[in-house]
Structures are given as structure tokens and as C-alpha cells.
Amino acid sequence: MKWNEFFVTGQPLIYAADVSIVLTVIGIVFILTYFKKWKWLWNEWLTTVDHKKIGVMYIISAVLMLFRGGVDALLMRAQLTAPNMKFLDSQHYNEIFTTHGTIMILFMAMPFIIGLMNIVVPLQIGARDVAYPYLNALSFWLFFVGAMLFNIAFVIGGSPDAGWTAYFPLAGNEFSPGVGNNYYAVALQISGIGTLMTGINFLVTILKMRAPGMTLMRMPMFTWTILITCVLIIFAFPVLTVALALMTFDRLFDTQFFTMANGGMSMLWANLFWIWGHPEVYIVILPSFGIFSEIVSTFARKRLFGYKAMVYSIVGIAFLSFIVWVHHFFTMGAGAAVNSFFSITTMAIAIPTGVKIFNWLFTLRKGKIRFTTAMLWSLAFIPNFVIGGVTGVMLAMAAADYQYHNSYFLIAHFHYVLIAGTVFACFAGLHYWYPKMFGHLLNERLGKWTFWLFMIGFNICFFPMYFLGLMGMTRRMYTYSAGLGWTPLNVVATVGAVLMGIGFIVLCYNIYYSARYGERDMTGDPWDGRTLEWATSSPVAHYNFAVIPEVTDLDAYWRMKKAGKGFEIDEEKLKPIHMPSNSGRPFLISIAFFFAGFGLVFKWFTLAIIAALFIVLGLILRSFDDDDGYYISVDEIKRTERLTGKGA
Amino acid sequence: MKQKMWKWVSLLPLSLLLLLSGCSENMLVLQPKGPVAKTQYDLIVWSVGFMLFIIVVVFVLFAVVLIRYREKPERADYEPPEEEGNTLLEIIWTVIPIIIVTALAIPTVKATFALEKPVKKEVKPLTIQVTAANWKWIFSYPEQNIETVNYVNIPEDVPVKFQLTSVGPINSFWVPQLGGQKYAMDGMNTELILQADEPGSYMGRSANFSGKEFAHMEFEVLAQTKDDFAKWVKEVQQTAPKLSKKKYETILQPGIVGRMTFSNTHLAWIDHTKQNRHYMNSDDGINR
Amino acid sequence: MAEAAHHYDEKMPLEYRTEESRLNILGFWIFLGAEVALFATLFATYLVLFQRTGNGPTAEELFQVKGVMIETILLLTSSFTCGLAVFEMRRGRLTGLLTWLLVTLLLGAGFITFEVREFIDYVHEGATMQTSAFLSSFFVLVGTHGAHVSVGIVWMILIMIQLLQRGLTPRTARKVFIVSLYWHFLDVVWIFIFTLVYLTGMVI
């Protein structure tokens, strides 16, 4: 392979990216060396098994990926602003929408949600960590190296260009001979393994490690949604694992699963992809419902209305999510009976979702609503998501879908549900739980600026797309001709996208500003919260709870406060706390995964095998490791608790 | 500050409406020119009614609740009640969506079944074999023994059975004003029945991404009176050149070609609806 | 983490005595649930592609009864001996445990040997992974199972080393128990492969 095939060349944008990547790396190395932070980085972050720090790392990665995916989006909007633009060529545009979709779903939405669940779930159930802290670190690092592997594609070897759905035969060797789709198959595989382990980890954590008295029906709604999400992950992700493995075999070893000759069947890929893909959508939306439930209840100062119905509706949605996948390709010609069945199951999802919307509205009713930034995001979710939801029902009507399918109507719909659902939830959760992560609040004034800019920009950007779809504009077109009359709405959409971009910049500035000048949270309970995470100090001590709380009802911490005593710690009752030791192995194993993946992408099998041997070595060392963790002494707990003002 | 922002926000929907009214003649889906598109249009309008109803209910409730129960100085002492839920209310808002979904499901299922068959049973349908290739559309008329590339002429008021297949990536055959789309896939044969009510030129395009020049996979559907169509067919049969195997191979090469017309079809020597080897190795047994 | 990590509960079997062990065993059951989804997908793929043989041989032309029967007997027996190993462990007999584990892994190795020979035979007959969609799905489904068995063998060896080093402790007992769950699971998967792939293939 020649060097100019290895590195992507010929595009000014790519050279600019090359330069900025090199400069960033040099900058990071310089800062770490200058401030002597290497040891700190290793001890505090790279080797940590603390769920809160892992959660923070997930969120930082997700925000970086949001930046990358957002830049992709802005480039696309720039190209589509006017007809016959020459800003991007077709190949470049195809790569960009592919990476935009893949990154936003798998490397932005998922890790953001998983980050929040890492930080919050153990706190909400009154646990000191997750069931398998070591595995948790490995999950994160696998996700992280998967994301990095996917991201280097655009400067080394070339990005995938067959869409985030990677339909065959387009994504096969015949039509995509480069390494781009190898990156897709391998990077998603690596991070997918991490996600599956997270699913198992949190399922066991929630089932087995709840504080005494916290029955299933006393769990906070966010924890409930995570429980169900874990079940979705456990049954959906193996399907992705298989689909990607078959894709890898087709691309690297010339098997015939999805090829055009020798019996291959491209429709099989579409089915496997969406059998995973549809539950995947609910994997990112159900936790969002949980986040909104927590925030709405807190800032309305009311118990969640219809808690039980909320739980049943999540279970219902999760069940239905496995039997609707065909609605992603009604147009494949499966026949009227099949399409009708999937049409009805899809529309049925509207029923539990509708129940949830009304329960949120009635939680607000008779409440005392405080408009904090977190609450604004949660409130804005309701009308925006309803627009996305009802257009979803329209898309579910098979006969009508033949007219919407793959048009901008569809694009508008899924951005309305995914942005108003998941992205709003991520921002809401970030503002809400920020003090638990860093000990200070995000600035409310800047937060509200972000909210208004982003929310208004979002509507300006995506609402016109419904009409572009009805005009016949299909997704993934890199350009269009002037006579079609699509220009005005495309200009509007671009304006909206720019506003969203500005909103994101304000958010980043807010993070910096608040770190320097933000209000410190001395109480640990800045919002007058209802669930157990607010019983801890901010930031949370690394053992979470000096004494495990006892739970008597839903909204456990609210009960304690109502009873007049809050969460007090009786120093007499303190016992030494057992904690797991840090380990550098998850990080190192993941590095080996990176090289194994890189080797596969370029068919450098020697590299892949050597790296795989390192992975096996890491697993063997783990098996022989009998580090049982360590104990925190009562004295140290007392000191920590007095420092944070929680101790007596 | 806040006041100003609100004013600005309230202007947005208005400006959007103005803009849309300017564009409405471009909304092809909402201007059906055939029975299939009309069925789908009716279904869309029917569903939009329900959807607007839902949106209005939720938005009004949302606004009322937010205005009434927001925190304000005169309610400083107010402490919200602890309510667990209300079974009757919850039953109501479970049942109403069920009714709405049923009201949408019945016509959907009916329409989905109806679209599988031609509307006019008394008229003999015209069959056209459609082949998607990178990045062009090939139309073969087996009965007339003619072939066109990137445009297709059809008679008005006659159901047309488009038999769809592909020699490459999956494409989707979509003519918004005549009716919804269907996939054209390698080694497969899908059928889409469309019909034009009046003569005219309708835009058609691929709706499923198929690679580099996908954006240019556009074609024209020209609906003609029956007489004009017959005349056109005759003219093509007499004047258009013959399509050779070699010429056909060059057409299939990836790239963009303009319009073409031939007085025979490739169906004589190859059937793409059976699984073929790809054109690249077509020399060794294209019809195994 | 488990505060009660070292609180022994004497009434439970050895492998369940620590909180950590209980968590790990539950987690492994859930992992097996994910494995069920994984194999179900592979089976579905195989059933879809089963008759798409292209220019290659069909299942009926390819499969041979004898080798497959031997593989089946070896693996079924190994599942039984694996059960005996756990039985010995519950009675606290280290030697019995080690012996039956050794027998189990030898039977497993025998299974793998015959499977590899079977695959090599097919390849010599010109039936490779690249020949047709049917063969691609066959090799990947059966191969994934075989890879699982191979991993199981390596895993068992590692646990036997630990048993020799450390004796029978709650930790090693838990490891033996988990590997036995894994081994029985692979046995169940093989029963499905035997019926859905080989028997069906030879009859239809």
C-alpha cells in the first residue's frame, strides 16, 4: 500500500483536519508534561474503576463526538443550502452523512446516556459501585477505542460511505472496495462488545444491589428505564454482533452472505440491521424518558403521576420495539399482509407513549413549576417530541409510507424524536446532575441561552424538512437542481443548523465559565431533589454512601426530608468500606483491541493476530489476579464526611 | 429582554407559513395525478386530521398547565399535593389513543391491500420491466419490444405494472405524483402498479442511496394520450437503433448517461430478476 | 462493592458463598441469555440461506453422518462428565473434580479434532466459505460453536491450574461452576445444530 492510499489526500478540508489533529495531540502532550499531570492522568482516570469517573469520561467523549457529528451536519447543511453547490463533492458528502449518522447514534447518544447512567444509577439505588467495576472500565475503554478507530478513518484510509445503515450490496466489496466500510464493521463491533457488557453489568447492579427497602416498585423512574434498557441491550446487541461479523467476513474473507452472486442475499442485512436497529432507538429513548421523569417531578415538586402506568408503558414499549423492524423497509415488497402487521404493531407504540405524555402533563398539573435550565429542556421535550411522535405514526401507515419513505419527511421525523427525545434529555441530565459530577453548578443564564438558541434553531432546521419531503427531496442527495423549488426551505434549514451550532458553543463556554466562576454546591442537594443521589455530597465521595440508606417508599430522599431529618450519618454505625482496586488492564486490553481492529481494517493480519494475543494475555492475567480490593478505614470516612458537612 | 425574545419567537411560525404558501405548488405528494397517489393522499389527509387534533390537545394542555402552575410570588406558600395517579384519567388516555390508532389502522390496512392490485380491472395493464443500474434507470417494454433509458412513456388511464429489479445496489423507484415507491433489488423482482389520470410530465427519482452519483438518478415519466403513446411506440420501433449486447454492457458501466431509446430489449438475452453474476464478470455465463 | 464480600454463608454450596460469587453467577446467566440471542441470529441466518447454494453443493450432497455422530456423542458425553465434575466439587473432592474436568476437556478436544477434520474434508471437496451463501452460513454457524468450545477448553485448563495452585476455595469453586454452565450451554447449542443443520440437511 502506498502512503497516499494510506493517508487520505487531496482535500483542503482533510489537510486542515490533519493539521488540527496533530496540533491538538501536541498541545495535550505539552500541557500534561508541563503541568506534570501524566501520573495524575494514569492514577485518577486511565486506571479508575469508579463508576462516577467512568461516567464523566463517557460524557466527555460524547461531547467530543457531538462536536464531530455536529461539524459533519454543518458541512452537509452548507452543501445543501443552494442548488448545484460545489462545496463538497459527492464522495465527500457520502462519507460525511455516513459518519454523521453512525457517530451521532453510536458514539454520541449512547455514551452520553451510558455516562449519565454510570453516574446516577448506583447513587439512586443506594449502592457503592456497580456489580463489576473492572468490567465497567473495560466497557468504557472498548467503547472509546471503537470510537477513536472509527474517527481516524477520515484521515487514514478513508471514511465509510454507504450510509449508517450500510445496506448491501452497496456496502460490499463490489461497490465499496476501499477500507471505509471495514472501519464501520470493526469499530462498531469493538464498541458494541463494550455496550453489551454494560448492559449485563447494570442489569445485575439494579437487580442485586439496591438499598434495603427499595423494592422494584420503589425504584426511581430513571433506574427503571435503565433496567429495561439493559434488557434491550442484552437481546438486541448480539444481533448487531452477528450482522457485523458477517459483514466483516464478506468484506475481508469474500464469503457470500450479502453478495450479488452465489446465493447471497442483500435483504438479509437490512433485516438483521433493523432487528438490532429498532430496539437501539429505544435504547437511547427510554433512558431519556427516565431523565425527563426525574426532572419534571423534581421541579414541579410533585411525585410522578401514575408511576405504575409509567413502568408498564416502558415495558410495553420495550416489548413492541422487537416486533416493528420491518417498518424501516415497507417498500421492500414484503406483501400487504406482512406490511399491515408491522404497521399495526408500530402504531401500537403510540399508545404507551401517549400514556406517558399525559402522565408527565399531570405531574406538572397542581405543581409548583420552577423553570431551571434542566426543566426547560424537559418541558421543551413534550411539544417537540409530540410532533416527532405523530409524524412517526403517519410513517407507520404502510400505504402512506410508500410516499414518505427515505424522503426528508423521514429525516425530519427521526430528528424530531432523537433530538427532542435523546439530545434534550442529555442536556437536561447534564445540567441537572452536573453538581454531582463536579461539585459546582452550570451557569443558569448561559444554560438558558444555550437552550433557546438550540431549541429554536432545531425547529427552524428540521420543521421545513417535513415539507421538503413532501416535495420529493430524498435523503442522502449531495445536491439538487434549481428547478425543483427546494431552495428556500433548504436555506431556512441551514440557518437553523447554524443556530444549533452557536447553542453548542455557548454550552462549551458555559462548561469553562462555570468551572471557574460557577456556584459551588455546598449542600449536595441544590434542586431540593427527591431521590437518593441528592443525599450524597457534591462531588460524591468515592464510596458514595458512608452508611447504606434505608428506603421506605418511592422518592426516598424526599421522604427523609419530609420526616424532618434528611439523611443523617450516625458515626457510631460506620464500618470499614470495601472498595475495588484500580487497574490499568482494561485500558491496555482496549489498546490491544484498537490495534487488532486496525490490523483487520487494512487486512494486516499479522498485526491483528499479535494484538489478539495481547488481548488473550490480558484475560489470562485477569483470571489469575486475586486482588480483592481494599478497605477504607472508619477514620478516613469520618474525615471525609466532616469535610463535606454531611457527618454529624 | 425576555419579552423581545418571545416576540421574535412568535413571529417564526408566521414566517414559515408565508414561506410554505410560496412553495406549496411544489409539494408533489400532495398533488396526486393518479389513483394510487390519490389513495395515499386521502390516507395522508385522514391521518393529518387526527394528528392535528392530538397536537392541539397536548399543546393547549401544556400551555395551560405551565401558565397556571408556574412558581410565582403570590403562590410562595403553596405546597403541591402528593397524588399517586388517577385510574379513571389514565384509562381515558389509554383508550383514546387506542381508538385513534384503530381509526388509522383500518384504512391503512385496506389501502395497503388495495395498492397491490390495479385499480381498473377492465383495462389490460401495460408491463414495463425497470432495471436500476449505477446510476441510470433502464425501462424495457417486453410487449412492444422497445427499451428506453432515463425516461419512460406511458399511456394515460392504463394501469402500468412496473417490474423492478437492479443490477447493483438497492434503489427505490419513486414517482411522487403517481404513487409511492418500491425497492428495486438485485436478483429480485418487485412489482409496483401505477396509473396516470392525465397526460403530463412527472418527476421520478431513486429514493434509496446507491452510491456516488445517486443524486442524479432522476427520470421523467411522460404520460400521453393512448393515441400519442401508440404513435410513439411505432416511431421507436421503426426509427430507434438496435441495442447490442456490447452496447448494453457499456450502459451498465458505472456512470451517468443521458436519455436513450432502442427498438429491442435486453430481456432477449438476460433476466436480471434471477440471480446473476455481476456485470463485471458477465463474460463467463451471464445466464447460468 | 460487595461489603459482605467475605461473609461466608455456610448453608450455601461453596460457589455461592460470597456476595461477589452470587453476582458473578447471575451475571453469567444473563450473559448466556445474550449468547442465546447470538446463536438464534446465526440459526436464523442459516435457515434463510440454507437453500441458496449457488454453484456449490447442497447440504444433502455434502454432509456425512458418521463424523457428525461421533462429534455428537463426544460432546454429549463431555457434558455429562462436566456435571460429574461439579458433583465431585460439591462433595469437596478436589481429585475427583480435577479428573472429571480433565476427561471433559479431552472429550471436548476430541470433538474439535473431528470437527476440524470434517471442515477440512469439505474444503477438499471444494466446499469453502466462499463457495455459496449456504456454505458461508454453515461454516460461520458451526464454526462459531466450535470456537466457543475451543475457548471453553482453554478456560478449563486455566481453572485447573488455579485449582492445583489454590485448592478448592469459594473463588475457584465459582469459576468451576461458571465454566460448567458455559459447557452445558454449548451442549444445548450443539443439539440444535445437530437437528436443524445436519439432520434437516440430510433429509430435506
Side-chain angles (χ1 to χ4, degrees), chain B residues 41-267:
Chain B
Y41 172 79
D42 291 341
L43 196 59
I44 290 170
V45 172
W46 171 254
S47 65
V48 165
F50 283 99
M51 297 310 147
L52 284 178
F53 167 73
I54 295 169
I55 287 180
V56 168
V57 169
V58 173
F59 278 39
V60 167
L61 225 111
F62 180 70
V64 168
V65 166
L66 284 199
I67 292 166
R68 221 171 128 208
Y69 296 103
R70 71 186 192 277
E71 189 179 41
K72 42 194 166 183
E74 59 265 35
R75 290 173 74 227
D77 306 333
Y78 174 71
E79 188 59 35
E82 286 284 296
E83 41 175 7
E84 290 199 9
N86 182 322
T87 315
L88 179 68
L89 279 174
E90 286 174 59
I91 289 174
I92 290 175
W93 62 60
T94 313
V95 171
I96 292 178
I98 291 178
I99 294 171
I100 295 177
V101 164
T102 314
L104 294 174
I106 292 168
T108 301
V109 172
K110 272 188 186 163
T112 308
F113 276 92
L115 294 183
E116 303 272 301
K117 295 183 198 76
V119 187
K120 286 194 172 177
K121 295 201 173 53
E122 65 279 14
V123 185
K124 185 177 169 287
L126 170 71
T127 301
I128 298 178
Q129 178 75 46
V130 183
T131 309
N134 275 350
W135 290 276
K136 70 276 296 177
W137 290 96
I138 300 161
F139 300 92
S140 321
Y141 298 66
E143 289 150 41
Q144 288 73 17
N145 199 30
I146 57 175
E147 184 151 306
T148 59
V149 177
N150 286 332
Y151 78 98
V152 59
N153 288 12
I154 57 169
E156 63 169 330
D157 286 329
V158 175
V160 185
K161 279 189 181 173
F162 289 101
Q163 307 276 353
L164 313 172
T165 190
S166 170
V167 289
I170 299 174
N171 277 282
S172 194
F173 181 87
W174 189 27
V175 189
Q177 285 188 287
L178 298 186
Q181 60 197 289
K182 199 161 268 184
Y183 283 176
M185 295 174 288
D186 62 287
M188 292 290 294
N189 185 26
T190 45
E191 185 179 82
L192 180 66
I193 302 166
L194 297 177
Q195 182 183 323
D197 281 341
E198 51 192 88
S201 163
Y202 307 111
M203 179 197 78
R205 66 163 51 256
S206 172
N208 196 66
F209 180 62
S210 55
K212 200 156 168 256
E213 300 300 339
F214 154 74
H216 300 296
M217 278 196 72
E218 232 178 72
F219 57 92
E220 184 197 4
V221 180
L222 185 67
Q224 299 171 303
T225 60
K226 282 172 198 152
D227 292 345
D228 284 351
F229 178 74
K231 226 159 71 191
W232 173 77
V233 169
K234 205 159 201 179
E235 195 186 307
V236 170
Q237 284 167 340
Q238 285 164 357
T239 61
K242 288 271 177 209
L243 175 65
S244 65
K245 280 189 191 180
K246 212 170 152 200
K247 174 76 181 162
Y248 185 64
E249 289 299 309
T250 56
I251 293 174
L252 289 186
Q253 291 305 311
I256 303 173
V257 297
R259 293 183 175 208
M260 294 182 200
T261 315
F262 301 102
S263 57
N264 60 334
T265 76
H266 71 266
L267 303 179

Side-chain angles (χ1 to χ4, degrees), chain A residues 106-107 142-144 146-147 186-196:
Chain A
L106 285 142
F107 301 130
L142 284 180
F143 145 72
F144 186 78
V186 175
L188 263 57
Q189 188 71 282
I190 293 174
S191 67
I193 297 167
T195 308
L196 180 60

Side-chain angles (χ1 to χ4, degrees), chain A residues 156-402:
Chain A
I156 297 176
S159 291
D161 57 358
W164 88 280
T165 50
Y167 272 18
F168 278 82
L170 180 63
N173 281 334
E174 237 168 338
F175 298 102
S176 302
V179 297
N181 281 293
N182 297 351
Y183 271 114
Y184 176 95
V186 175
L188 263 57
Q189 188 71 282
I190 293 174
S191 67
I193 297 167
T195 308
L196 180 60
M197 296 194 311
T198 299
I200 297 173
N201 203 344
F202 277 80
L203 184 59
V204 175
T205 305
I206 296 174
L207 287 179
K208 282 293 198 183
M209 297 176 70
R210 298 190 308 275
M214 185 179 277
T215 58
L216 282 176
M217 282 318 234
R218 284 180 192 163
M219 289 199 310
M221 190 48 64
F222 180 63
T223 300
W224 251 115
T225 56
I226 296 300
L227 177 74
I228 301 299
T229 301
C230 289
V231 176
L232 289 182
I233 289 176
I234 289 160
F235 288 106
F237 265 77
V239 183
L240 178 71
T241 305
V242 170
L244 291 172
L246 304 187
M247 181 185 202
T248 312
F249 275 112
D250 261 13
R251 291 192 56 84
L252 298 185
F253 308 117
D254 299 311
T255 53
Q256 309 285 349
F257 288 103
F258 313 121
T259 52
M260 303 212 338
N262 300 321
M265 193 182 195
S266 55
M267 290 181 292
L268 179 63
W269 167 265
N271 277 279
L272 291 179
F273 182 85
W274 286 114
I275 289 173
W276 161 77
H278 202 84
E280 164 67 12
V281 180
Y282 289 87
I283 289 168
V284 295
I285 210 73
L286 289 182
S288 310
F289 289 170
I291 293 169
F292 293 132
S293 299
E294 300 292 336
I295 293 173
V296 164
S297 163
T298 299
F299 294 110
R301 285 181 76 84
K302 262 184 85 215
R303 182 194 166 105
L304 192 64
F305 192 91
Y307 174 87
K308 277 187 188 157
M310 291 296 237
V311 172
Y312 299 143
S313 55
I314 304 166
V315 176
I317 293 172
F319 170 73
L320 286 172
S321 76
F322 278 101
I323 49 167
V324 297
W325 81 91
V326 169
H327 73 218
H328 293 274
F329 42 81
F330 280 143
T331 51
M332 201 176 257
V338 173
N339 281 355
S340 297
F341 172 80
F342 283 95
S343 203
I344 292 168
T345 53
T346 308
M347 279 192 264
I349 290 186
I351 299 164
T353 314
V355 169
K356 294 185 82 71
I357 296 278
F358 281 101
N359 277 329
W360 282 313
L361 285 175
F362 272 70
T363 307
L364 291 167
R365 186 172 157 268
K366 294 191 188 164
K368 192 174 179 183
I369 303 168
R370 261 190 299 160
F371 294 96
T372 57
T373 308
M375 186 62 162
L376 285 177
W377 286 112
S378 309
L379 292 174
F381 151 77
I382 293 176
N384 285 303
F385 189 80
V386 166
I387 295 176
V390 295
T391 47
V393 176
M394 291 169 72
L395 278 154
M397 301 163 67
D401 175 73
Y402 302 157

Side-chain angles (χ1 to χ4, degrees), chain C residues 7-176:
Chain C
H7 286 193
Y8 293 90
D9 187 344
E10 299 297 339
K11 274 170 283 177
M12 305 279 266
L14 195 56
E15 66 270 21
Y16 277 106
R17 283 202 189 150
T18 69
E19 182 63 27
E20 191 189 357
S21 290
R22 289 193 284 266
L23 288 178
N24 285 6
I25 291 170
L26 175 67
F28 196 78
W29 275 108
I30 295 170
F31 170 74
L32 288 182
E35 287 271 52
V36 169
L38 183 125
F39 276 104
T41 313
L42 285 171
F43 275 111
T45 303
Y46 176 78
L47 292 177
V48 167
L49 299 177
F50 162 57
Q51 284 175 324
R52 301 175 71 98
T53 50
N55 291 328
T58 63
E60 209 185 344
E61 292 161 9
L62 196 64
F63 295 155
Q64 299 146 5
V65 189
K66 203 177 132 205
V68 178
M69 281 311 292
I70 296 172
E71 284 165 38
T72 307
I73 291 163
L74 285 174
L75 201 65
L76 289 185
T77 317
S78 81
S79 198
F80 178 65
T81 56
C82 185
L84 289 178
V86 172
F87 180 70
E88 288 293 306
M89 181 180 84
R90 291 252 167 97
R91 299 207 302 178
R93 290 190 193 169
L94 184 59
T95 341
L97 166 61
L98 282 168
T99 315
W100 286 117
L101 277 185
L102 185 68
V103 174
T104 306
L105 81 84
L106 286 177
L107 288 167
F111 167 83
I112 291 292
T113 316
F114 273 93
E115 184 159 81
V116 169
R117 274 181 49 184
E118 183 196 337
F119 281 12
I120 290 172
D121 279 351
Y122 294 161
V123 170
H124 280 301
E125 288 170 38
T128 67
M129 262 177 109
Q130 288 78 17
T131 308
S132 69
F134 154 63
L135 284 167
S136 299
S137 61
F138 167 77
F139 278 110
V140 168
L141 168 60
V142 181
T144 304
H145 176 267
H148 272 76
V149 175
S150 310
V151 167
I153 291 170
V154 175
W155 189 0
M156 244 179 231
I157 293 171
L158 291 174
I159 291 174
M160 286 172 71
I161 296 171
Q162 291 182 19
L163 281 169
L164 287 169
Q165 281 179 345
R166 298 165 196 180
L168 201 52
T169 67
R171 183 191 286 263
T172 47
R174 178 238 300 163
K175 290 186 180 188
V176 171

